[in-house]
Amino acid sequence: MKYNLVNKYDRAKILEDVKRLLERGEKAEREGKSAFGAELKALKPPQSGQQLRFAFVCIGYFAAEYGVSKYEAEWEYFKNKVNHDLFYRTKLNKKGKTIPYVRHMDELDMGELSLAITRWRNFCSFEYEIYIPEASDYAFILHAEKIIEE
């Protein structure tokens, strides 16, 4: 079942459903049954394929104009220098030890990716004087894609 956690009625419904599942689990435990479980995960708004494509055009155009590889532009500049807080995270492993990890671009939701692209455009403009087009500037995006291919 999917719930909209912004909606107060859905929030109340999920609490009712969790209570019901917990009661079923307690009943299964009393009866000596095993292998009763539930799964809960957060759903985030999807990103559009066009948004992800635009992000890679922005990174590739910077790489072509600045003279670095796309890999270096993505990892050293886009992920590490400009959007470190969005990509670098920590989690607990099975032994309870904190380990760092880097998120992939497709793990970001629309809002996070939009923020990352805005930061990137500002960074390129202010730090390196390289204009990165807006998503609505289709002609410039085609030009950028041509530059990247060359």
Side-chain angles (χ1 to χ4, degrees):
M1 180 67 70
K2 294 182 181 178
Y3 304 92
N4 178 357
L5 298 180
V6 175
N7 182 315
K8 68 180 180 180
Y9 300 106
D10 276 3
R11 288 194 305 264
K13 177 75 172 125
I14 195 173
L15 288 174
E16 291 172 12
D17 289 351
V18 167
K19 287 177 187 175
R20 186 174 34 77
L21 285 170
L22 290 173
E23 289 169 2
R24 284 177 58 191
E26 289 170 356
K27 180 182 176 187
E29 183 182 29
R30 284 191 303 271
E31 295 174 355
K33 295 181 181 176
S34 62
F36 181 80
E39 183 178 87
L40 176 68
K41 70 177 187 176
L43 301 175
K44 57 185 177 183
Q47 61 187 2
S48 70
Q50 289 178 332
Q51 188 182 30
L52 192 58
R53 177 178 169 231
F54 177 65
F56 282 114
V57 167
C58 292
I59 294 167
Y61 184 71
F62 170 82
E65 289 293 309
Y66 190 59
V68 296
S69 69
K70 283 191 238 179
Y71 177 83
E72 185 178 354
E74 179 183 350
W75 283 93
E76 293 298 320
Y77 294 93
F78 186 78
K79 287 185 177 181
N80 193 28
K81 194 170 186 179
V82 179
N83 294 301
H84 192 277
D85 61 321
L86 294 176
F87 288 98
Y88 288 83
R89 300 286 170 91
T90 58
K91 63 181 174 181
L92 291 176
N93 66 7
K94 292 179 181 178
K95 295 181 179 181
K97 188 175 182 181
T98 303
I99 55 169
Y101 72 100
V102 182
R103 295 168 75 191
H104 296 282
M105 296 273 280
D106 59 357
E107 293 177 38
L108 302 180
D109 64 28
M110 287 180 85
E112 291 172 326
L113 190 53
S114 179
L115 175 61
I117 292 169
T118 300
R119 287 178 180 173
W120 180 247
R121 291 181 67 241
N122 291 338
F123 170 79
C124 292
S125 178
F126 294 126
E127 296 290 324
Y128 294 96
E129 298 180 356
I130 297 173
Y131 173 73
I132 304 292
E134 292 184 27
S136 60
D137 192 353
Y138 187 68
F140 200 97
I141 292 171
L142 289 177
H143 170 71
E145 288 177 335
K146 182 180 174 187
I147 298 280
I148 293 167
E149 286 179 18
E150 292 174 358

